[in-house]
Amino acid sequence: MSETALPKDEVQPVSEAPVVPTAPTVERRGNGLAILALLLGAAGIAVGGWGIWQVRSLQANNQQQLSQLQALGDQAQSFKLSEQRLSTRLEQLPAADELEDRRRLVAQLQGDQQRLSQRLETVLGASRKDWRLAEAEHLLRLASLRLSALQDISSAQALVQGADDILREQNDPGAFAAREQLAKTLAALRSTEQPDRTGLFLQLGALRDQVLELSAVAPEYKDRGDSLLGLTADGDGASRWAQWWDQISRYFRIDFNADKNIRPLLAGQGLTQVRLALSLALEQAQWAALNGQAPVYTQALTEARDVLTSHFNQDNPQSKLMLQRLAELSKQPVTVATPDLTKTLSTVQAYLERRNLSVEESVKPVAKPAANTAQETSP
């Protein structure tokens, strides 16, 4: 009997134990394995899906990185091209010594340009002053012409005032004498009364329009209702003699004031000719008023008054009023004693000559140094 053999008394209880059926444990183990297999399959599917997603994301990242790498390559290529251009330009640039020489020449050129601009401003300023002074002289000439030709006081005053303003702008002490003479001329012009020639022209034109309305008024007999010299009897009514006298008294009358000046009445063509003569006289007076011709103006108004007094009845209200207006207009002045601007013009011209001489003398010394500097810089 071996050492490993169990004793009989120890084995006996085991054999006596009841036998348990094994079929249910096998079924339970099969269900657990199926569940475990399903879980393992689901886990494998999940792991596979996650792996696929990771692969796709890695592919997208790789594609993006490739595009970025391509863009970087393009930029690097453009940088290389720009670097090549810069290198070529740098190779074309002159040396440092040459650049320094050019910088020095540019600085010298700028200085010369500034000096030239200053000289140009000086010359232009002097020329502007000369132009303004020439304008002042021209204004004085125009004022003298307006006074001598048209006797236009207001226009001449404005022109002289403009010349004085130009001299005041110069702020030159040498213009004192010229400005003094201009002040005297302005005072004389302000004290001179300007005749209203336009007003006279219009008033005479209004009288010309009234000429066509002039007519000779025939004398009329006004019956007061009484019979002449008591030829009709009192109380017997209208007799035949009274009726006959009333009829013939319409054609003639007896005037006991025969010492008055009796003129023939105008009618038809004669009246038209007289109106035309009066209108022509008034038109001549209009022309004389505009042109300042005092003798012609007086003569024309005298002729107009003569025509009115000779051919129209003075008792007519129209002719009477026209005679009064002509008498009033004949007293209006059409000419005026204008001041002489010859002395003022000569004073301004003398000032301009002195100024031009002083400017020429001041420019001559400056021209020589400028020529010397030009000769020095030319080598």
Side-chain angles (χ1 to χ4, degrees), residues 275-287:
R275 288 175 178 172
L276 181 60
L278 183 57
S279 178
L280 290 176
L282 293 176
E283 185 176 359
Q284 188 177 9
Q286 283 183 301
W287 177 87

Side-chain angles (χ1 to χ4, degrees), residues 13 51 60 85 178 211-212 268 294 302 316 328 365:
R85 295 194 191 96
V211 168
L212 299 176
T302 302
N316 188 357
E328 293 175 358

Side-chain angles (χ1 to χ4, degrees), residues 4 193-194 220 260 281 310 336 346 363:
T4 59
E193 184 179 359
Q194 176 71 42
E220 296 181 357
K260 292 183 179 180
S310 300
V336 65
S346 61
V363 170

Side-chain angles (χ1 to χ4, degrees), residues 293-318:
Q293 301 292 332
V296 178
Y297 179 76
T298 305
Q299 182 180 0
L301 291 183
T302 302
E303 291 178 359
R305 289 198 302 268
D306 292 340
V307 171
L308 279 174
T309 55
S310 300
H311 299 88
F312 291 94
N313 189 4
Q314 297 183 6
D315 296 333
N316 188 357
Q318 294 179 346

Side-chain angles (χ1 to χ4, degrees), residues 39-51:
L39 291 175
L40 290 175
I45 293 171
V47 171
W50 180 78

Side-chain angles (χ1 to χ4, degrees), residues 101-117:
D101 295 337
R102 291 185 180 183
R103 187 187 62 79
R104 187 170 58 255
L105 290 175
V106 169
Q108 184 178 0
L109 180 61
Q110 289 179 352
D112 295 339
Q113 186 178 3
Q114 290 179 358
R115 287 191 293 273
L116 287 175
S117 63

